[in-house]
Amino acid sequence: MADTATTTSAAAASPANASTDAPPFQLGKPRFQQTSFYGRFRHFLDIIDPRTLFVTEKRLREAVQLLEDYQHGTLHPGVTNEQLWSAQKIKQAILHPDTNEKIFMPFRMSGYIPFGTPIVVGLLLPNQTLASTVFWQWLNQSHNACVNYANRNATKPSSASKFIQGYLGAVISAVSIAVGLNVLVQKANKFTPATRLLVQRFVPFPAVGPAGDSTHACGPAYAHPGASPDRHVHAGEIETSQLEPEIARATSSRTVVYNKGL
């Protein structure tokens, strides 16, 4: 019955789409082909599109209703594929796919650039004190942990202790590495002031790397070849035969699961 309703909705929407470039709408599927790098790139741009941060509550309700009408086969005549793709993009950007609750704006994938960029700038500030180094590393790991938790796979709930453990591990490792490297650089007598300043600019990179492994405990597990895809909007599955040859040769699995988000 659901398949019949979807087919009816697709047929109702198709006449109005003859003059548009939008592909036929598929509920729950990516708009762009995932078999090419360009298609996956366009898909990622859709996920992080900051314009969805300004969607009103009314527009969100309209988008959700439009998708429900499509699913139930009750679309009004004249609805275009473009409108359906836009509605799905809005819903996926704002509502958690498992809980159907709104994700707090700074922790949405579409908010990662506007809310994360100031933190990156803070991490790269020159001549930082001990206090500023600790603050920016703590803020960065806190933001990462919240993004991971807000976009987690809620069908497989994790305990609060696991979240806290991952968060504390990320903060401690990031702060320890950043402070330790800064101290070593400052004590390096062979460095000229210009070289010392340049090296200090790169300290945040090794600091945030190991910490990223700890923050994975705060949210969805990053998938790997042979894993089972979950229902989360930011995870997908693709056959290795559809990947670029150099990537396909790196695994013997028939399919791979990948993270579409971070």
Side-chain angles (χ1 to χ4, degrees), residues 40-243:
R40 294 192 292 273
F41 177 70
R42 292 287 303 275
H43 179 64
F44 292 148
L45 291 181
D46 253 5
I47 290 177
I48 63 174
D49 188 350
R51 292 176 297 179
T52 57
L53 296 173
F54 303 99
V55 172
T56 63
E57 188 70 28
K58 178 183 178 182
R59 180 70 184 93
L60 174 60
R61 288 196 301 267
E62 291 174 348
V64 172
Q65 185 61 54
L66 188 62
L67 294 177
E68 290 180 353
D69 290 344
Y70 175 87
Q71 189 172 13
H72 297 145
T74 57
L75 272 181
H76 296 294
V79 175
T80 65
N81 285 321
E82 183 64 41
Q83 289 174 308
L84 290 169
W85 285 119
S86 178
Q88 179 166 270
K89 175 179 176 179
I90 290 172
K91 180 182 178 182
Q92 291 183 342
I94 299 175
L95 300 181
H96 192 284
D98 297 327
T99 65
N100 212 34
E101 296 177 353
K102 291 181 69 174
I103 300 173
F104 189 44
M105 188 180 294
F107 307 145
R108 298 174 190 169
M109 289 300 175
S110 54
Y112 202 77
I113 292 178
F115 290 100
T117 299
I119 298 176
V120 174
V121 173
L123 289 170
L124 298 176
L125 289 175
N127 301 320
Q128 294 203 40
T129 63
L130 175 62
S132 65
T133 299
V134 172
F135 170 76
W136 287 113
Q137 289 292 340
W138 164 79
L139 186 61
N140 179 56
Q141 295 306 325
S142 297
H143 181 247
N144 289 340
C146 289
V147 169
N148 277 323
Y149 182 77
N151 295 277
R152 71 195 183 283
N153 178 3
T155 63
K156 302 175 183 177
S158 301
S159 63
S161 60
K162 184 177 181 181
F163 171 79
I164 295 173
Q165 180 182 1
Y167 169 66
L168 291 178
V171 172
I172 292 173
S173 61
V175 170
S176 300
I177 294 173
V179 172
L181 289 177
N182 273 323
V183 171
L184 289 177
V185 171
Q186 291 172 1
K187 290 184 177 180
N189 298 325
K190 294 182 179 181
F191 286 165
T192 64
T195 302
R196 184 178 291 107
L197 180 61
L198 179 63
V199 172
Q200 284 180 322
R201 290 290 183 91
F202 289 92
V203 166
F205 296 101
V208 300
D213 295 330
S214 298
T215 56
H216 291 176
C218 305
Y222 284 72
H224 51 81
S228 299
D230 56 41
R231 296 192 299 109
H232 198 274
V233 66
H234 302 305
E237 183 180 28
I238 187 172
E239 293 187 3
T240 51
S241 60
Q242 298 178 336
L243 296 172

